[in-house]
Amino acid sequence: MRIDVVTIFPGYLAPLREALLGRAIGSGLLDVAVHDLRDWTHDVHQAVDDSPYGGGPGMVMRPQVWGDALDAVLAADERPARLVVPTPAGRPFTQADAHAYAAEERLVFACGRYEGIDQRVVDHYADALPVDEISIGDYVLVGGEVAVLVVVEAVARLLPGVLGNPRSAAEDSFSDGLLEGPSYTRPEVWRDRPVPDVLRSGNHGAIARWRRDRALERTVARRPDLLAALPPDALDKKDRAL
Ligand SMILES: Nc1cc(-c2ccc3ccn(Cc4ccc(CN5CCCCC5)cc4)c3c2)n[nH]1
């Protein structure tokens, strides 16, 4: 998979080259190119923003610079691409989106700053390729770069060969619609807190039941919306008895 990121702060994307993702890039599983939007400015001030039509706070990013940048970046590789534009006003990015993006040959991310990018940029490219305006949560960041780090990490870990232990991606929380329950490792007792006995019993049926119960309890307490979204047959009689 090829990933391109266009931003006025290329340094913000440096963490992509660390650790797991750094190894994925090194092993050729992932090809990441970060581009400085200002390379496509032509004025001495390298202006990328201007005042919003209709008034309002802050500045809006100019369409011309983004058009020149995205035309050049898209033309640099013939693989079909999906354009992903983080925004507070986007559709929520989910694990299902991460799986869908992991199947793409190429992702191009447009990182806005200020109050965002002139809407005509998204509208223009939506005539030529799939464009997603996505939010990573109901809070307002200063720009799209952190959202891109989140999305790239969620997608890259799903690529075959990137994770040392592929089972863990397959057994992600949300994969069965519930939050995952608590995890424990050695020592058996830590600061007078023992590991739950069932986990040391070797009784795999009882362990599976206990883990399911803890996942249900946690989901009820923290994410009742996930329960409501479960298909009707997702909870069995024992689940409902909890
Ligand atoms: N999930 C998520 C993604 C982002 C994100 C992504 C991309 C950009 C580009 C710029 N910013 C900053 C910014 C600040 C203020 C506004 C205006 N808006 C007015 C009404 C109330 C909400 C804010 C918009 C954009 C970005 C923020 N934040 N959170």
Side-chain angles (χ1 to χ4, degrees):
M1 174 187 285
R2 172 167 171 159
I3 290 177
D4 289 88
V5 187
V6 183
T7 168
I8 58 171
F9 294 116
Y12 240 95
L13 282 299
L16 287 181
R17 302 193 189 284
E18 293 294 317
L20 175 110
L21 292 186
R23 286 197 299 277
I25 295 168
S27 60
L29 287 167
L30 203 50
D31 178 22
V32 175
V34 179
H35 311 274
D36 186 339
L37 179 69
R38 292 194 197 276
D39 291 352
W40 286 278
T41 55
H42 308 298
D43 61 308
V44 65
H45 302 296
Q46 295 197 309
V48 294
D49 64 307
D50 201 341
S51 307
Y53 275 113
M59 303 291 273
V60 175
M61 298 189 95
R62 302 170 61 215
Q64 307 95 319
V65 187
W66 274 105
D68 291 349
L70 291 175
D71 284 354
V73 167
L74 287 166
D77 190 303
E78 78 290 346
R79 278 174 283 189
R82 175 178 294 272
L83 177 62
V84 181
V85 185
T87 164
R91 179 177 51 79
F93 176 74
T94 65
Q95 188 67 12
D97 294 314
H99 281 285
Y101 286 9
E104 295 282 353
E105 291 185 63
R106 190 183 183 200
L107 296 172
V108 176
F109 291 91
C111 295
R113 281 268 158 166
Y114 306 98
E115 301 286 306
I117 302 171
D118 185 301
Q119 188 61 39
R120 289 170 292 180
V121 174
V122 162
D123 298 345
H124 169 76
Y125 287 99
D127 287 344
L129 68 156
V131 179
D132 286 349
E133 292 182 271
I134 54 115
S135 162
I136 60 163
D138 291 339
Y139 37 81
V140 184
L141 301 168
V142 181
E145 288 79 6
V146 167
V148 169
L149 290 175
V150 166
V151 172
V152 169
E153 181 163 310
V155 171
R157 67 184 288 275
L158 298 175
L159 298 177
V162 170
L163 272 187
N165 171 10
R167 255 177 45 121
S168 93
E171 293 171 15
D172 275 346
S173 57
F174 307 107
S175 57
D176 64 356
L178 301 177
L179 300 181
E180 80 270 18
S183 298
Y184 303 86
T185 186
R186 283 179 293 221
E188 270 183 44
V189 180
W190 177 72
R191 295 189 181 178
D192 297 332
R193 296 173 186 275
V195 170
D197 289 337
V198 66
L199 297 181
R200 295 174 35 251
S201 69
N203 178 339
H204 297 294
I207 290 169
R209 183 71 257 166
W210 183 88
R211 283 177 165 162
R212 175 83 176 174
D213 289 349
R214 298 299 75 72
L216 282 163
E217 277 170 358
R218 184 174 275 187
T219 308
V220 168
R222 299 179 184 176
R223 292 293 305 275
D225 59 298
L226 289 180
L227 278 188
L230 283 177
D233 59 350
L235 299 179
D236 64 28
K237 211 162 36 182
K238 286 184 181 171
D239 293 335
R240 296 180 187 284
L242 187 76

